[in-house]
Amino acid sequence: MTDKVIHLPLTDEMIQDLHAGDRVLLNGIIYTGRDEAHLYLCRMLDKGEELPIEIRGAVIYYVGPCPAKPGQAIGSAGPTTSGRMDAYAPRLMDIGLKGMIGKGLRKPAVVESMKKNICVYFASIGGAGALLSESIKEAEVVAFPELGAEAIYRLRVENFPCTVVIDCYGKDLYKEGRAKYEVK
Amino acid sequence: MNVREIEASAIADAVEKLVIDANYYLPEDVKDALKKMREEEESDLCRQILGDILKNADIARERQQPICQDTGLAVFFVELGQDVHIVGGDFRTAMDEGVARGYTKGYLRKSSQDHVLGERVNRGDNTPAIIHTDLVPGDKLTITVCPKGGGSENMSALGMLTPSQGRDGVKKFIVDTVSRAGSNPCPPIIVGCAAGGTTEEVMLLAKKALCRKVGEPNPDPEVAQMEREILEEINKLGIGAQGFGGTKTALAVHMLTHPVHLASLPVGVNIQCHVARHRTIVL
């Protein structure tokens, strides 16, 4: 199984070429954002304010990293459970979000929005924060610094390992993988 | 009978080191269980994931950084010898001071927030420690830390079954809880579970069961048999490492039981991710 090397930003054509179960290595810029950051972004949209990051074409990584030690770009930085962002994700996809990185199940409304907006959901390994931090070369807080670990960081990643779990066709590795090995 | 004095500052110092070490060093029993699982797993993708998880533990150890960014709330099980007298400060303050210093000096993530009902604010030092204390004979103070991440903790469940649901009902409740959790709690998992007691006791026992060495059976053969059966059922679910589909989902099932009211059958489930951190110090 060879990993697909991806250079961000994602285009529709690139996303259409990704399928549930593909192992990929991401290169380029991604943004962090989890519970509070999503709440703040959606509040800004409610008020008609301009968002602090360019959502069009963006990939958001659901993560709240550890503080960086001196000499590190970032501390351990593995994914958090994506389902908690389900309430916000379709709204961001409607305005151009193209990729999400996290772990765990998504609601049907999220999958429908992914199909409609041509978007992809990757999983990185939950609980492998030290390993994943090695692929993060730069990290800079770009919004909501008051949120600490929950602030939005701009990350530059090199060969950041992920697996496509839900593709833009709605195919779901969590469902298909489990069905393959389930003993009834 | 002699009363032994322990300085509060010695407790704070011990806790500071304990929380850092627990978050940097994955216990050997957990690593061994992961290696065994990697040998037995049939899915290529899951074997690869398990290899990455083992590599992650080595990187964390070498680079002295947290195994997982979710360094948890600091949960402690304490056995306080009844012949111990804590001097020079109070126990709670010493524990919180140790947590605050450890989470700061160790570059661990602070996840504890105030204002649970409104606009949440990070407390900035990961206090308060969550402390479960047993008073025991002797003059030792034994402190075990089990930092617990939110993702797996969120998948916990309490079931107030009726006695007629019996053994099969208990088993079904536990397996269903794991099935529903799917990929969310970062499998492979360790399932802490308990039956009996009261609502609060059964949940505490479910978490306590997670402190046992991975895969060590309950000394009661009847409970150990139940652990084996539940483990087999869970692995049949096909969830696999990270939920990608595989023949192995749980590293172990640890169960505890407790005498129960004649009208009740409480069941508690506490799911632990593969970053099963626990570390003990005896003062």
Side-chain angles (χ1 to χ4, degrees):
Chain A
M1 205 165 20
T2 35
D3 297 345
K4 287 186 180 174
V5 178
I6 305 270
H7 293 279
L8 302 168
L10 289 169
T11 63
D12 287 354
E13 294 70 34
M14 287 158 76
I15 293 169
Q16 282 159 342
D17 196 32
L18 292 173
H19 301 278
D22 288 352
R23 297 251 306 183
V24 300
L25 297 169
L26 301 181
N27 291 270
I29 301 299
I30 61 177
Y31 293 97
T32 73
R34 48 175 294 161
D35 309 56
E36 291 279 295
H38 276 77
L39 175 67
Y40 282 32
L41 288 176
C42 286
R43 274 189 191 157
M44 292 178 86
L45 289 174
D46 287 343
K47 291 184 200 155
E49 293 170 3
E50 196 184 332
L51 298 185
I53 58 169
E54 176 59 78
I55 281 287
R56 198 170 297 276
V59 174
I60 293 185
Y61 182 19
Y62 303 144
V63 58
C66 282
K69 279 188 168 181
Q72 281 186 324
I74 198 165
S76 293
T80 194
T81 312
S82 308
R84 294 195 315 275
M85 271 53 77
D86 283 358
Y88 313 106
R91 198 162 177 198
L92 297 181
M93 284 188 267
D94 282 343
I95 56 169
L97 180 71
K98 281 290 161 193
M100 300 165 282
I101 310 170
K103 52 114 178 164
L105 310 166
R106 308 306 301 259
K107 286 205 170 73
V110 173
V111 181
E112 285 312 309
S113 177
M114 288 174 60
K115 284 155 74 175
K116 183 181 88 180
N117 292 301
I118 310 178
C119 191
V120 60
Y121 172 46
F122 303 103
S124 55
I125 301 176
L131 176 94
L132 292 166
S133 72
E134 293 201 316
S135 298
I136 301 171
K137 303 303 177 186
E138 289 168 22
E140 183 196 354
V141 175
V142 290
F144 318 135
E146 66 277 17
L147 295 180
E150 292 204 64
I152 296 184
Y153 288 70
R154 181 179 186 271
L155 307 180
R156 187 174 66 76
V157 296
E158 280 179 19
N159 291 329
F160 186 86
C162 296
T163 303
V164 177
V165 267
I166 305 177
D167 60 30
C168 68
Y169 309 101
K171 218 173 134 192
D172 184 339
L173 176 64
Y174 291 138
K175 281 187 193 148
E176 301 209 343
R178 187 166 167 177
K180 189 174 162 191
Y181 289 97
E182 189 173 9
V183 183
K184 301 245 180 184
Chain B
M1 183 202 64
N2 291 323
V3 170
R4 185 169 158 254
E5 292 191 343
I6 296 180
E7 290 282 342
S9 62
I11 296 172
D13 290 347
V15 166
E16 174 188 327
K17 187 173 180 331
L18 198 63
V19 296
I20 294 174
D21 289 351
N23 277 293
Y24 288 0
Y25 309 126
L26 190 66
E28 287 302 318
D29 58 319
V30 182
K31 275 204 232 173
D32 290 345
L34 285 164
K35 283 176 193 162
K36 185 167 172 276
M37 181 179 270
R38 186 176 50 171
E39 281 166 25
E40 294 172 355
E41 173 60 57
E42 287 172 25
S43 149
D44 289 339
L45 183 56
C46 289
R47 271 204 309 276
Q48 215 171 344
I49 297 289
L50 291 165
D52 285 346
I53 285 171
L54 283 160
K55 199 168 138 195
N56 180 69
D58 291 340
I59 293 170
R61 172 177 287 276
E62 279 160 27
R63 294 179 49 161
Q64 301 267 294
Q65 76 179 77
I67 307 158
C68 175
Q69 76 292 335
D70 190 347
T71 49
L73 289 187
V75 179
F76 294 91
F77 289 99
V78 173
E79 290 182 355
L80 177 62
Q82 63 185 22
D83 300 333
V84 170
H85 180 207
I86 295 164
V87 295
D90 72 275
F91 180 64
R92 156 61 63 187
T93 307
M95 294 292 288
D96 283 344
E97 194 186 318
V99 167
R101 288 206 315 245
Y103 274 75
T104 304
K105 288 188 191 172
Y107 295 86
L108 310 182
R109 195 179 83 187
K110 290 72 158 175
S111 302
S112 177
Q113 295 182 320
D114 266 330
H115 303 295
V116 64
L117 300 180
E119 286 288 314
R120 291 169 164 230
V121 181
N122 196 301
R123 291 174 59 83
D125 61 4
N126 220 43
T127 62
I130 294 178
I131 310 170
H132 306 293
T133 310
D134 280 332
L135 201 57
V136 298
D139 64 357
K140 300 275 192 284
L141 172 60
T142 306
I143 305 173
T144 298
V145 69
C146 310
K148 191 73 193 318
S152 60
E153 188 74 359
N154 285 347
M155 298 296 115
S156 306
L158 168 71
M160 298 308 286
L161 310 189
T162 56
S164 68
Q165 288 175 277
R167 189 179 189 276
D168 288 347
V170 170
K171 196 201 273 187
K172 183 174 186 309
F173 182 81
I174 296 165
V175 175
D176 285 351
T177 300
V178 173
S179 178
R180 223 177 14 251
S183 54
N184 284 8
C186 295
I189 54 174
I190 299 168
V191 181
C193 50
T198 51
T199 52
E200 82 284 6
E201 184 67 24
V202 80
M203 288 312 292
L204 188 58
L205 289 174
K207 179 159 276 186
K208 229 178 205 176
L210 292 171
C211 296
R212 203 192 298 163
K213 200 173 157 213
V214 179
E216 192 177 85
N218 185 300
D220 179 336
E222 196 180 52
V223 184
Q225 174 63 26
M226 184 73 154
E227 289 175 335
R228 281 193 297 275
E229 289 175 27
I230 295 171
L231 179 62
E232 196 181 321
E233 289 297 315
I234 287 171
N235 284 333
K236 280 186 189 167
L237 294 172
I239 296 169
Q242 297 296 302
F244 291 165
T247 54
K248 298 286 168 188
T249 299
L251 296 160
V253 172
H254 293 173
M255 191 172 203
L256 290 170
T257 56
H258 192 284
V260 65
H261 190 282
L262 46 84
S264 309
L265 181 49
V267 185
V269 184
N270 194 298
I271 299 180
Q272 168 69 57
C273 66
H274 58 85
V275 188
R277 296 157 288 195
H278 46 86
R279 208 165 176 95
T280 300
I281 191 163
V282 182
L283 295 179

